[in-house]
Amino acid sequence: MRELRPWLGLLQRHRRQLAVGLVLMAATLMAGLGLLALSGWFITATAITALAWAAGLNASLNLYAPGGGIRFFALARTASRYFERLVNHDVVLRLLADIRVELFRKLLRAEAYSAKRLGSAAFLNRLVSDVDTLDNLYLRQIAPPLVALAGSLGAAGLIAVFAPALSLVVLAVLVPWLGVVTLGMAWWTRRHGAAEMEAAERLRSHALTELEGMAELSAAGLLSRDQNDLLGEDNAQRYRQMQQETSAISGQALNTLVIHLLVAALLLFASQAWQAGQISGAVMVLIPLVIMALSEGFLPLPRAFMRLGATEAAAERLNTQDGSQPDSSGQPSEVGLPENPTLTWSHIRVARGAPVVFEDFSLSVSPGERLVITGASGSGKSTLASLAARLTSPDDGQVMVNGNDGALFSLSEWRERISLLTQDAHLFNESVAANLRVGDADASESRLWRVLEAVDLAPLVASLDCGLETPVGEGGGQLSGGEGRRLALARVLLRSAPIVILDEPFTGLDEATAERVWKGIQHWLSGCSVVLMLHDSMPFIEADRVISLTAGRAM
Amino acid sequence: MVVQLGLMAWFVDRLIVHDQPVTLVATGAALALAVVVRSIGQWGQEMAGLQASHRVRRQVRRALLNAWASAGPVGLSSCDSGRLSSEWTEQVDSLDGYYARFLPQMILAVIVPLIILSVVAVQDWLAALFLLAAAPLIPLFMALIGMGAERVNQRHYESLARLSGHFLDRIRGMTTLQLFGRSVDAVEDVAAATDHYRRLNMATLRVAFLSSAVLEFFASVAIAAVAIYVGFALLGMISFGPADEMSLFSGLFVLLLAPEFFQPLRLLSQYYHDRAAALGAAAHLSARLVASDSLVPQAAQAQRQEPDSSGIRVSGLGVRYPNGREVLSDLDFELPSGQTLVVTGPSGCGKSTLLAVLAGFMAPSQGEARIRGQSPGSMPVGWMGQRPWLVPGSWRQNLRLTAPEASEGAMLEAIDRVGLRSVLDGLPEGLSTRIGEGGLGLSGGQARRLALARLFLTSSTVMLLDEPTAGLDEATEAEVIEGVRGIIGGQRLCVIASHQPALRALGDQHLALGSTHHA
């Protein structure tokens, strides 16, 4: 239950609406209870009165108050249920939107690559389905037992007016039973619930893996085999679901059994009380009917609490996101970054979590310089690049601008000045234009065309049916590797930062295209300091300086 | 249930009206028995629904997998894999409510009210008329409301799938968003997407709730009317119809039965959004099943033949994408067994498309290709795409993805061949070392070489490599080329798309594709 605490805290923000919802829920149950109880009482009372008349006795019965009461309860029940549902669902959905945005914000603050480390398949599950699972928490697992408890107490109170002894019987049965169908049910299904959720995540990640490796698998003729594995896992998973469902169904059947046995017992007890002259005949009918109406409040409980384990597991996984490192350098600096910055890696040491170890590494790029850093894959080029963009921080040493430690500046300010094309730059599953505008949100169409011209993509985009609005597919899948790379490059250029770091910009391009692109983008790079990370220097690139990097050491 | 209520009414009637002592034990036992039977019946009904839902979901999942397989990698490349996987998991699960609850309840909603109605009619036909009058209005209203709900629900499911694709896309591009300082916009984006989802959801729910409120209203009014009617009849204030004969037994019995008359219908309306959810999902799923039907590549329909020892023959091959872009036309070549073909050309000239056709991922729009005398796709081939496919898991798991039976020795040999031996020797956990999503923990070149090693492990004698050395430095490239050299020759056929001069030297034949197909 501890896992749920942060989320219960979130509920407080919408306290008033939740209270209204709860009151409406209780009102609905009470109206139903009142309707059946009053009707039963009314009919029996009329029958007794009729008998009295038949016996020539002078009995009188006020017909209009109960009749009006019955009509009132009937309407009240309908209205309160409708508004209760609207109020509750709206507030819960609002709450869930809050949760999603909050989570996403947290993830963005987390150190670079930690998001990747968690694995996107697991992640997708976390965001969409865990948050939806938390939907259960209030609407299914907090409010209904409270309402059932309130209903039980209300029913017991009503009965206590006529027969205090019987109301004790009602409490003695209903309160423990409420514990059984809620906490007992949750305890019984918890183990399976957590296992089921884990398996569901594995299943989804397997499906995602298969989709991503579709080409390799189908080429190797292994697709059907993998699909059989997937179906096997799915069968096992559904078997687990069935076990859970069976528990819930049995719980519901037991629920019916207990409540209606109580109703029967109350009728018998009440009849004895009536025979003993303690209560009137009409009240004798009223007592069991109250409990019968109450059964509605108990009905949804077993199934809701079957899911408590899953809700807890979801909350727990969402909680682990809370552990993310906060953005410690969010404040804008007083100094302000200069327009023509000199970028310096100063006495850098990187030892943990990187494929390459740097020890006391220093390098400087002056304004307007063209610096080429060459090196084999794994020589540390990408590490230098992510240090410069402050995606990662060094274990020791500093990344500086004009002699000022980078940590003094806010990240957004920093990244306005330093633009980086990473090796795995992501293309969003949106249009060509939308992808470009990630680099410059306000870019005009003609500016987009100019930058596409620079990277030699303009003829291709022009030939597409929808032009700039053509979707690029998931991860740019509708484009060839080289085309996607050039689109990502164009996006970096639109940023117009004074320092541009390009990590392997020509991947997937033949030499002739690479040369055309390099020539084409010169205009966009004029006046900028450019750091090119390449595995080999290319003959057409005129660099001011070429540095060869081997295992974190400059040659 | 009817029996239980009947017994209760009878019991009350006996006591009050006839003032007869009844044996408590006998009545109690009969009541208990009725309750037990009722519970068991409820249990059995729900279990049967559960079983049905279980079977249906299994079948739908299987059909979806078939659809993926027949669409193939090229057909699916325009679909978001997050969305596809959510279709396969959540959307199929949302069929559950329909089969497990809605369908059985629909049958009950017809049968149970009829039984109750006839029981009530026997007691008092006028009360039965009250119930009957309320009942037919219910399906009418439900249908009216249901039509709107269905449309809304379909939209709701589309937006749910788009939302999950949107999330995955944003998460994958998180580093990019951070670099461009667009994180704040992305948060707003996510907020807007979620809010859109909330509003759609509320629209669905509002309609679903309205339908149950209508029902609730009629049920309440009918119960109230029955109660008041019975009361007045008992007092003898209503003098027509069967009201005169009303006894406490029949009156109470009718009153107790009245809510039960509406109960199955009310449950049905509670399950109504199960139905709407299932229909929304079903429309989506069947659209997927139909869409993939139209993309079935030629190979899937081709007849199976025994492979012969011939090589690759391509004649008059042309490919045009659905968006109107023509990438290949009138291509002819023949590659004898044991040879290697290197395809060169500027980016976008159709190198990858040619390989996709040879692998059987897409059907050519003109001409044909034959590999070992067969249509592409009817025999296994080794494939490596432009982006290496690596899954989160150990090196061993990644190597066994397409060669499930590979031995440790074979895996070590393959790793040796692609020049990763020195890297592996430096890992304390060896082949059990874990790799993160997208090859995290490996450099770009290492990821590529690991995928190559996997290719070497497969038993296929036909290999298709799309830019195998893209992004590798000269030294590593040379190692990889050495590895490729080690497995070509003999009876093996190899087609490599590349613009690297160093790889070109491996080819027995060369094919240069032009760049004239852009326009």
Side-chain angles (χ1 to χ4, degrees):
Chain A
M1 292 298 263
R2 208 176 329 117
E3 298 86 4
L4 299 176
R5 201 166 298 156
W7 309 106
L8 294 177
L10 265 179
L11 286 175
Q12 295 216 333
R13 262 196 238 170
H14 301 272
R15 237 186 337 242
R16 195 172 307 159
Q17 275 159 295
L18 289 173
V20 171
L22 201 61
V23 167
L24 283 169
M25 270 172 108
T28 308
L29 184 66
M30 293 303 186
L33 208 130
L35 179 62
L36 202 60
L38 190 60
S39 305
W41 177 86
F42 178 63
I43 289 179
T44 318
T46 52
I48 291 171
T49 313
L51 283 175
W53 286 350
L57 292 171
N58 186 17
S60 75
L61 182 69
N62 179 358
L63 288 175
Y64 297 98
I70 288 171
R71 278 191 292 267
F72 165 75
F73 281 132
L75 290 176
R77 184 163 75 142
T78 308
S80 63
R81 186 185 302 270
Y82 183 71
F83 289 110
E84 168 259 303
R85 287 177 148 185
L86 276 190
V87 169
N88 279 335
H89 279 86
D90 187 65
V91 69
V92 164
L93 284 173
R94 253 172 229 281
L95 197 69
L96 293 184
D98 288 356
I99 295 174
R100 279 163 204 241
V101 170
E102 190 57 38
L103 260 182
F104 198 78
R105 205 172 276 147
K106 258 176 205 144
L107 292 171
L108 275 169
R109 276 203 300 263
E111 192 155 310
Y113 299 118
S114 72
K116 278 175 132 189
R117 206 169 291 132
L118 290 162
S120 288
F123 230 90
L124 177 72
N125 198 4
R126 177 159 304 148
L127 280 168
V128 178
S129 130
D130 283 1
V131 169
D132 271 348
T133 304
L134 273 187
D135 177 14
N136 287 340
L137 186 60
Y138 174 72
L139 219 47
R140 297 202 181 132
Q141 288 149 357
I142 297 179
L146 286 180
V147 169
L149 185 64
S152 306
L153 294 179
L158 185 64
I159 293 171
V161 172
F162 308 105
L166 285 184
S167 87
L168 286 181
V169 173
V170 167
L171 283 182
V173 173
L174 285 186
V175 173
W177 181 244
L178 191 62
V180 170
V181 286
T182 55
L183 300 177
M185 193 69 204
W187 174 81
W188 177 251
T189 53
R190 170 165 302 159
R191 255 170 317 143
H192 302 297
E196 192 202 315
M197 271 202 86
E198 255 169 53
E201 191 159 326
R202 272 204 306 277
L203 196 64
R204 178 205 288 270
S205 121
H206 188 170
L208 203 59
T209 300
E210 175 173 294
L211 283 162
E212 280 168 353
M214 196 67 138
E216 279 85 348
L217 284 172
S218 51
L222 286 170
L223 187 61
S224 60
R225 178 186 169 134
D226 194 67
Q227 295 199 326
N228 278 335
D229 289 351
L230 197 54
L231 284 173
E233 278 173 40
D234 174 47
N235 267 338
Q237 165 65 359
R238 249 177 310 100
Y239 180 70
R240 257 181 240 118
Q241 281 178 353
M242 289 245 307
Q243 282 182 319
Q244 289 285 86
E245 290 281 331
T246 306
S247 308
I249 290 173
S250 309
Q252 277 172 325
L254 266 179
N255 199 25
T256 307
L257 188 70
V258 168
I259 301 240
H260 285 273
L261 280 180
L262 179 65
V263 169
L266 281 177
L267 180 60
L268 297 184
F269 288 142
S271 72
Q272 284 186 318
W274 175 72
Q275 278 171 330
Q278 287 159 349
I279 54 175
S280 75
V283 170
M284 179 193 95
V285 176
L286 179 141
I287 288 172
L289 284 187
V290 165
I291 302 304
M292 204 176 223
L294 194 63
S295 74
E296 189 174 294
F298 278 76
L299 202 67
L301 293 177
R303 188 174 289 275
F305 275 81
M306 170 195 92
R307 296 199 176 113
L308 188 65
T311 310
E312 278 177 352
E316 195 185 339
R317 273 181 299 164
L318 290 173
N319 288 346
T320 58
Q321 289 311 311
D322 284 7
S324 305
Q325 226 165 276
D327 179 6
S328 54
S329 46
Q331 314 84 8
S333 65
E334 289 153 24
V335 198
L337 274 163
E339 283 305 320
N340 292 308
T342 301
L343 175 69
T344 310
W345 288 270
S346 167
H347 306 288
I348 297 289
R349 190 172 73 87
V350 176
R352 85 197 138 93
V356 196
V357 175
F358 282 88
E359 201 66 64
D360 197 23
F361 177 93
S362 296
L363 181 68
S364 213
V365 194
S366 29
E369 191 181 357
R370 297 273 186 282
L371 172 66
V372 172
I373 301 180
T374 62
S377 64
S379 63
K381 291 174 305 200
S382 302
T383 309
L384 281 184
S386 49
L387 284 170
R390 288 176 52 198
L391 282 173
T392 49
S393 17
D395 293 331
D396 215 343
Q398 295 151 335
V399 177
M400 305 200 293
V401 160
N402 291 6
N404 295 316
D405 188 353
L408 291 173
F409 304 97
S410 78
L411 270 179
S412 60
E413 203 177 3
W414 184 264
R415 286 176 183 156
E416 259 169 48
R417 304 300 156 86
I418 297 182
S419 183
L420 164 65
L421 175 68
T422 54
Q423 277 193 30
D424 52 1
H426 180 81
L427 292 178
F428 294 95
N429 189 3
E430 288 181 35
S431 68
V432 172
N435 269 290
L436 286 174
R437 287 200 172 112
V438 170
D440 176 3
D442 308 318
S444 65
E445 273 207 15
S446 64
R447 187 166 147 84
L448 297 186
W449 280 114
R450 280 204 303 282
V451 80
L452 285 175
E453 195 73 56
V455 296
D456 199 30
L457 277 179
L460 168 76
V461 175
S463 76
L464 299 172
D465 290 345
C466 307
L468 282 174
E469 296 309 316
T470 311
V472 300
E474 184 192 3
Q478 293 287 71
L479 302 173
S480 82
E483 288 160 2
R485 197 69 192 142
R486 281 182 278 161
L487 192 59
L489 175 62
R491 188 169 63 184
V492 169
L493 296 177
L494 280 173
R495 191 115 177 98
S496 336
I499 298 175
V500 179
I501 303 175
L502 305 175
D503 192 357
E504 301 284 7
F506 306 126
T507 311
L509 300 184
D510 58 288
E511 211 170 300
T513 313
E515 185 170 356
R516 255 198 327 276
V517 170
W518 178 246
K519 296 255 155 71
I521 64 176
Q522 285 315 304
H523 170 67
W524 291 80
L525 293 176
S526 65
C528 305
S529 319
V530 181
V531 182
L532 266 175
M533 313 275 190
L534 297 170
H535 49 77
D536 291 301
S537 67
M538 293 186 158
F540 55 82
I541 293 171
E542 289 166 18
D544 296 323
R545 201 153 44 121
V546 179
I547 286 171
S548 157
L549 198 66
T550 308
R553 234 164 274 174
M555 299 288 173
Chain B
M1 179 193 69
V2 174
V3 175
Q4 178 208 350
L5 299 178
L7 273 171
M8 280 175 61
W10 173 80
F11 179 64
V12 173
D13 178 68
R14 277 292 121 139
L15 280 173
I16 295 178
V17 182
H18 305 282
D19 202 12
Q20 275 179 7
V22 273
T23 42
L24 271 181
V25 180
T27 319
L31 264 178
L33 189 68
V35 169
V36 168
V37 169
R38 177 184 179 165
S39 304
I40 290 174
Q42 181 192 342
W43 187 84
Q45 173 220 326
E46 293 193 35
M47 286 304 286
L50 182 61
Q51 297 280 358
S53 146
H54 184 72
R55 274 196 299 277
V56 167
R57 280 184 291 157
R58 188 175 57 203
Q59 282 160 7
V60 173
R61 290 231 162 96
R62 195 183 294 266
L64 272 181
L65 287 185
N66 284 338
W68 291 356
S70 60
V74 175
L76 289 181
S77 73
S78 60
C79 307
D80 191 305
S81 46
R83 187 183 299 192
L84 285 175
S85 67
S86 117
E87 267 172 28
W88 196 75
T89 48
E90 271 109 47
Q91 302 223 1
V92 174
D93 272 339
S94 68
L95 297 176
D96 174 54
Y98 182 67
Y99 289 98
R101 290 182 287 275
F102 185 81
L103 269 187
Q105 193 60 43
M106 203 154 86
I107 299 165
L108 286 179
V110 175
I111 297 174
V112 173
L114 277 179
I115 294 177
I116 290 179
L117 199 64
S118 49
V119 173
V120 172
V122 168
Q123 297 301 325
D124 187 305
W125 60 262
L126 205 59
L129 263 177
F130 277 119
L131 295 181
L132 199 60
L137 288 173
I138 291 160
L140 188 75
F141 272 84
M142 299 260 299
L144 276 178
I145 291 158
M147 275 184 268
E150 235 165 82
R151 263 203 311 280
V152 171
N153 232 276
Q154 216 157 321
R155 275 223 310 275
H156 163 64
Y157 271 86
E158 267 164 35
S159 82
L160 184 62
R162 214 171 296 139
L163 187 69
S164 84
H166 183 266
F167 267 134
L168 188 61
D169 201 34
R170 289 296 177 283
I171 287 153
R172 287 200 173 137
M174 205 164 258
T175 307
T176 302
L177 288 171
Q178 285 174 323
L179 282 174
F180 284 97
R182 298 302 294 273
S183 338
V184 180
D185 300 324
V187 169
E188 276 165 19
D189 244 27
V190 169
T194 340
D195 197 56
H196 182 66
Y197 171 65
R198 178 182 69 83
R199 264 180 287 126
L200 265 181
N201 224 330
M202 276 315 292
T204 316
L205 292 174
R206 203 166 286 145
V207 174
F209 295 161
L210 195 63
S211 68
S212 57
V214 167
L215 230 151
E216 196 94 26
F217 176 73
F218 280 102
S220 300
V221 167
I223 294 171
V226 166
I228 293 169
Y229 159 74
V230 169
F232 280 83
L234 282 174
L235 285 175
M237 293 167 97
I238 300 171
S239 51
F240 63 93
D244 290 340
E245 296 149 32
M246 175 76 72
S247 66
L248 179 57
F249 165 70
S250 60
L252 204 53
F253 189 30
V254 165
L255 177 74
L256 287 174
L257 282 177
E260 297 294 341
F261 176 75
F262 293 100
Q263 188 60 24
L265 279 168
R266 272 180 54 196
L267 275 178
L268 188 67
S269 86
Q270 265 178 32
Y271 299 149
Y272 194 80
H273 66 260
D274 279 335
R275 169 177 180 270
L279 281 188
H284 209 90
L285 293 173
S286 53
R288 168 78 54 217
L289 293 174
V290 171
S292 54
D293 269 355
S294 60
L295 279 167
V296 176
Q298 188 192 34
Q301 297 150 354
Q303 291 192 331
R304 261 192 180 277
Q305 293 165 314
E306 278 307 297
D308 54 36
S309 57
S310 67
I312 298 177
R313 206 182 61 244
V314 168
S315 46
L317 193 76
V319 176
R320 184 185 282 274
Y321 278 96
N323 64 9
R325 191 171 154 206
E326 188 180 54
V327 280
L328 291 174
S329 64
D330 272 334
L331 189 65
D332 292 285
F333 69 84
E334 196 162 345
L335 184 71
S337 189
Q339 292 206 351
T340 297
L341 173 73
V342 177
V343 186
T344 56
S347 83
C349 69
K351 297 189 295 284
S352 304
T353 308
L354 174 62
L355 288 185
V357 169
L358 290 177
F361 297 162
M362 52 193 303
S365 29
Q366 322 147 359
E368 65 156 8
R370 292 257 150 194
I371 302 176
R372 301 234 188 270
Q374 292 185 301
S375 356
S378 51
M379 61 182 291
V381 295
W383 169 271
M384 198 177 111
Q386 289 184 356
R387 278 167 230 145
W389 175 48
L390 293 173
V391 302
S394 66
W395 281 46
R396 187 179 289 108
Q397 279 170 323
N398 272 287
L399 286 172
R400 282 185 173 153
L401 283 172
T402 55
E405 272 95 35
S407 67
E408 296 277 309
M411 281 190 269
L412 289 177
E413 195 205 334
I415 281 177
D416 210 15
R417 286 192 144 161
V418 295
L420 279 178
R421 192 55 179 264
S422 56
V423 178
L424 184 70
D425 287 345
L427 297 172
E429 289 176 68
L431 286 174
S432 306
T433 308
R434 282 189 63 83
I435 301 169
E437 171 118 354
L440 191 83
L442 296 176
S443 73
Q446 288 165 351
R448 184 68 55 130
R449 281 181 279 162
L450 190 62
L452 263 175
R454 179 170 64 216
L455 186 68
F456 296 162
L457 281 173
T458 58
S459 56
S460 167
T461 59
V462 180
M463 314 184 113
L464 306 171
L465 309 180
D466 194 2
E467 306 275 9
T469 59
L472 300 185
D473 59 88
E474 232 167 54
T476 323
E477 186 183 83
E479 281 177 48
V480 174
I481 292 171
E482 276 314 298
V484 176
R485 196 195 300 282
I487 55 147
I488 58 175
Q491 283 309 298
R492 289 175 196 249
L493 277 161
C494 188
V495 179
I496 306 173
S498 177
H499 50 247
Q500 292 288 344
L503 258 179
R504 226 182 268 185
L506 285 179
D508 302 298
Q509 284 192 34
H510 298 94
L511 175 68
L513 295 175
S515 59
T516 53
H517 302 286
H518 268 168

